Amino acid sequence: MEASNLEKQSKPEEARYLSFRHLPEDATRNGKPVLNRYSSSLTNGHDFPGAKAMLYAAGVPDDETMQNAAHVGIASTWWQGNPCNMHLLDLAKIVKDSVQKQGMLGWQYNTIGVSDGITMGSEGMRFSLQSREIIADSIESVTCAQGHDACVALPGCDKNMPGVVMAMARHNRPSIMVYGGSIAPGYSETLRKPINVSTCFEAYGAYIYDTLKQPNDGGDTSKTKDEILTDIEQHACPGAGACGGMYTANTLATAIESMGLTLPGSSSTPATSPSKMRECERIGPAIKTCLEKNIRPSDVLTKRSFENALVMTMALGGSTNAVLHLLAMAATASVPLTLDDFQRVSLRIPFIADLAPSGKFYMSDLYTIGGIPAVQKLLIAASLLDGSIPTITGKTLAENVSPFPSLPTDQTLIRPLSNPIKSSGHITVLRGNLAPGGAVAKITGKEGTRFTGSARVFDKESHLDAFLASGSLKGSDPNTVLIVRYEGPKGGPGMPEQLRASAALMGAQLSNVALVTDGRYSGASHGFIVGHVVPEAAVGGPIALVRDGDRVVIDAERRELRVDGVGEGEWEERRRAWREPAAVVTRGVLAKYARLVGDASGGCLTDRW
């Protein structure tokens, strides 16, 4: 082992990674910066003849290229069977060609993905969150083991984005993210309106409660609920790309672009557009600039850039999953970020975007009026977004967006700052005797700011799904708070998203119901929902002690999540009676995850203990 790595053992506990032999940052060759600072340890001289032989076999054309060319890893989360990811291999090939044209070596490789849309409501969803760690581990492993000098990552679905950024923070070599882009909206002939994947889940609720009908607009009303749902299923997702609203994928892509890790416009450029292809063609020169100027993730991932990510998330009404993933990304980059930062930013940033799931527009609509750069220009001009942060282009964020057009004056998607949808952000951090370690609520204001109801407790999401499928919950019932527990990162295991339940309630138009869980909600979820309750039930958190009939209060104004009417003596009696449940799984990847994962308020990391 390298002596520098052995020395670390005697240093105070900190985020420590292996060091690798590399040329000095200011190394030059023929008067120009050396770009193969890391790969040169394998390719220069004859210390590693086996490595050079393998590289010649892999496609290095000659000795000059072997000695001088930078090795750029091109990591995509491509796989077939999911629209978010199925086009990424083709985009990665364009990126590789762009890299090769700059005289560098592009090495394509893949990591995994899990489709949230396909696994939603099934046991497969338990594998979704932990896929973030596998993606991060995979890219870190290949970059470091193969001696790559730089990394270009092409993610598509929700966990892909934080996974690739966490990997970049770990290996800290020049890196760029290329977002795969969002899907075009679908269209339902039976409903006579644009639809998307979230429509499927909400339609399911209407289907169960026999409210799924064609609109009474003078058109055809002859279709049965089965015919309507079949039409929705067949036309909600018309092709490649991530879910089209301000759901988790677009939320994170927007946040990461606002942090400076992508080319401008990446997060709002549609997946199958010529503009997305052109973006990929520009990556070769862009990553070469990063290498020449030694722009590394640690230069871009700062407290100021994370602040920008929070601002964009609040302004656009982004997913609550952004809280979980931005906390993980920041911790990996050794940037201090807590739940309190989210609340602080939420209080000062107005919610201005009429985007799905709570609004009527999609990312493709935003693209047509200027995209994310136009929104960034608006917020920079208002001194709400920091335009001075450095980015992977070598320019500041403000310089990046300067050539882009401003938002048209006649558009209605982005509200004026003087007339927002809500004067503050939609994400609220709650604490109280039900969540002393914090919980995250997504409250746009359309559903009110306070909800009190009687608890109905379910020990697994599947139990709630069965209850809702029975049609037992009625709109005429008293206010009810549905508590779903033992679905946290350890207890799930995997902290599954629960869009099936939240969307079903919206589709059934049950406004007398709120949801609280130690699991997660999808970026497509909306309504009175609270997730990420810490401590989770599996470790004996207060949510494990709630009983049917307890009075639960969700108060966004006071930022409280509490149970009223239960005295401390009663709480203590319930604590003594509680028994830690046996592990759901004891072998395999979920067992490892449950053993290693931290709590949601810390980002659910698996490498901090």
Side-chain angles (χ1 to χ4, degrees):
M1 179 171 280
E2 295 287 333
S4 60
N5 290 319
L6 291 173
E7 290 174 6
K8 293 176 182 177
Q9 293 177 315
S10 61
K11 293 182 178 179
E13 187 61 35
E14 58 185 8
R16 297 200 297 260
Y17 301 95
L18 282 180
S19 299
F20 295 87
R21 281 199 295 166
H22 61 280
L23 296 175
E25 294 177 5
D26 57 355
T28 59
R29 184 183 294 124
N30 300 323
K32 296 181 179 179
V34 172
L35 305 188
N36 60 334
R37 284 187 286 270
Y38 284 89
S39 62
S40 61
S41 64
L42 296 175
T43 61
N44 288 185
H46 298 289
D47 288 347
F48 296 95
K52 295 173 70 174
M54 299 286 273
L55 288 168
Y56 277 124
V60 176
D62 51 47
D63 182 63
E64 181 179 353
T65 304
M66 181 69 75
Q67 297 293 326
N68 300 319
H71 290 231
V72 179
I74 302 167
S76 73
T77 58
W78 168 82
W79 54 284
Q80 294 179 328
N82 187 39
C84 309
N85 301 77
M86 66 187 192
H87 62 304
L88 296 180
L89 181 62
D90 294 330
L91 294 182
K93 289 177 179 177
I94 299 173
V95 169
K96 177 174 179 174
D97 184 60
S98 175
V99 167
Q100 305 266 83
K101 286 179 179 177
Q102 295 297 313
M104 299 179 288
L105 292 163
W107 301 117
Q108 282 185 256
Y109 63 97
N110 260 61
T111 182
I112 68 153
V114 169
S115 170
D116 289 2
I118 292 173
T119 61
M120 193 70 67
S122 75
E123 297 291 9
M125 173 50 77
R126 302 187 186 285
F127 293 85
S128 175
L129 182 56
Q130 59 89 40
S131 73
R132 183 190 74 184
E133 315 308 306
I134 296 176
I135 292 166
D137 293 349
S138 299
I139 296 176
E140 178 193 9
S141 296
V142 173
T143 303
C144 295
Q146 298 300 118
H148 290 169
D149 301 293
C151 174
V152 178
L154 295 92
C157 198
D158 301 5
K159 314 308 168 297
N160 302 177
M161 270 70 74
V164 303
V165 172
M166 289 163 67
M168 292 172 182
R170 292 177 188 177
H171 63 63
N172 200 31
R173 300 179 192 183
S175 301
I176 296 177
M177 190 187 92
V178 181
Y179 178 43
S182 60
I183 195 170
Y187 188 83
S188 167
E189 292 290 347
T190 59
L191 297 180
R192 295 184 285 279
K193 69 175 185 178
I195 60 173
N196 66 96
V197 69
S198 181
T199 311
C200 300
F201 297 100
E202 294 188 13
Y204 171 75
Y207 178 89
I208 293 297
Y209 280 81
D210 287 321
T211 59
L212 184 58
K213 303 180 188 299
Q214 292 181 273
N216 187 18
D217 58 3
D220 175 39
T221 58
S222 66
K223 296 295 187 290
T224 67
K225 67 176 184 178
D226 287 279
E227 289 174 318
I228 297 171
L229 191 53
T230 296
D231 172 52
I232 293 170
E233 292 166 349
Q234 291 178 344
H235 298 106
C237 300
C243 301
M246 191 46 60
Y247 308 147
T248 304
N250 283 331
T251 297
L252 287 164
T254 298
I256 292 165
E257 179 178 332
S258 302
M259 295 169 71
L261 268 176
T262 75
L263 291 180
S266 182
S267 63
S268 50
T269 304
T272 58
S273 66
S275 295
K276 182 57 69 176
M277 314 304 143
R278 290 193 291 271
E279 177 189 345
C280 293
E281 290 170 349
R282 299 202 310 272
I283 292 300
I287 196 66
K288 188 173 185 179
T289 295
C290 288
L291 283 161
E292 289 172 340
K293 296 185 176 183
N294 197 29
I295 301 172
R296 295 171 298 172
S298 59
D299 300 315
V300 177
L301 296 172
T302 65
K303 186 61 181 281
R304 290 163 56 213
S305 69
F306 276 99
E307 188 94 359
N308 273 3
L310 303 192
V311 168
M312 290 299 288
T313 298
M314 303 307 169
L316 298 182
S319 166
T320 54
N321 281 315
V323 178
L324 194 72
H325 296 312
L326 288 169
L327 287 170
M329 290 157 54
T332 305
S334 298
V335 173
L337 193 72
T338 70
L339 287 178
D340 292 335
D341 291 304
F342 287 84
Q343 187 60 63
R344 174 178 53 79
V345 173
S346 184
L347 288 173
R348 73 178 181 88
I349 299 299
F351 171 31
I352 58 174
D354 190 13
L355 286 164
S358 62
K360 64 181 179 180
F361 294 104
Y362 299 99
M363 185 60 84
S364 58
D365 299 312
L366 180 57
Y367 172 72
T368 64
I369 61 170
I372 290 302
V375 180
Q376 291 170 334
K377 287 186 73 171
L378 171 70
L379 295 175
I380 289 171
S383 299
L384 296 176
L385 195 71
D386 188 347
S388 68
I389 65 165
T391 74
I392 50 88
T393 66
K395 301 177 182 179
T396 66
L397 182 65
E399 290 171 334
N400 282 347
V401 303
S402 177
F404 285 80
S406 298
L407 290 165
T409 56
D410 60 347
Q411 62 82 31
T412 58
L413 195 162
I414 300 295
R415 296 274 287 272
L417 291 169
S418 59
N419 182 30
I421 296 170
K422 186 171 179 280
S423 60
S424 59
H426 62 299
I427 289 178
T428 301
V429 176
L430 306 175
R431 290 186 172 89
N433 63 3
L434 189 50
V440 179
K442 183 178 185 179
I443 300 173
T444 63
K446 295 180 180 180
E447 60 285 289
T449 58
R450 195 175 192 274
F451 190 98
T452 300
S454 179
R456 183 69 185 266
V457 180
F458 300 88
D459 282 348
K460 283 293 178 185
E461 177 194 8
S462 59
H463 299 173
L464 172 60
D465 290 341
F467 174 69
L468 294 177
S470 71
S472 300
L473 195 61
K474 306 298 182 185
S476 58
D477 292 344
N479 279 3
T480 302
V481 178
L482 302 175
I483 305 282
V484 183
R485 61 192 181 191
Y486 296 105
E487 291 290 17
K490 289 183 179 293
M495 205 180 181
E497 289 183 357
Q498 297 170 36
L499 174 60
R500 183 182 177 94
S502 62
L505 293 171
M506 293 300 295
Q509 300 179 351
L510 295 175
S511 59
N512 60 324
V513 178
L515 291 165
V516 175
T517 183
D518 53 6
R520 295 182 296 136
Y521 289 110
S522 165
S525 296
H526 57 125
F528 228 114
I529 56 176
V530 181
H532 308 196
V533 171
V534 175
E536 63 174 292
V539 298
I543 193 172
L545 310 180
V546 179
R547 294 179 179 174
D548 286 346
D550 286 347
R551 185 170 180 267
V552 179
V553 178
I554 305 168
D555 190 334
E557 294 180 358
R558 299 181 63 179
R559 301 193 289 279
E560 289 183 348
L561 177 62
R562 66 181 191 270
V563 175
D564 282 351
V566 179
E568 185 54 41
E570 173 66 15
W571 276 121
E572 188 56 39
E573 183 177 327
R574 294 184 188 185
R575 288 190 193 99
R576 286 196 299 268
W578 180 80
R579 296 292 180 269
E580 181 178 357
V584 176
V585 293
T586 59
R587 292 290 186 274
V589 67
L590 288 179
K592 289 191 290 185
Y593 185 78
R595 180 67 63 89
L596 294 173
V597 70
D599 66 38
S601 294
C604 292
L605 290 171
T606 59
D607 63 347
R608 295 182 79 183
W609 54 80

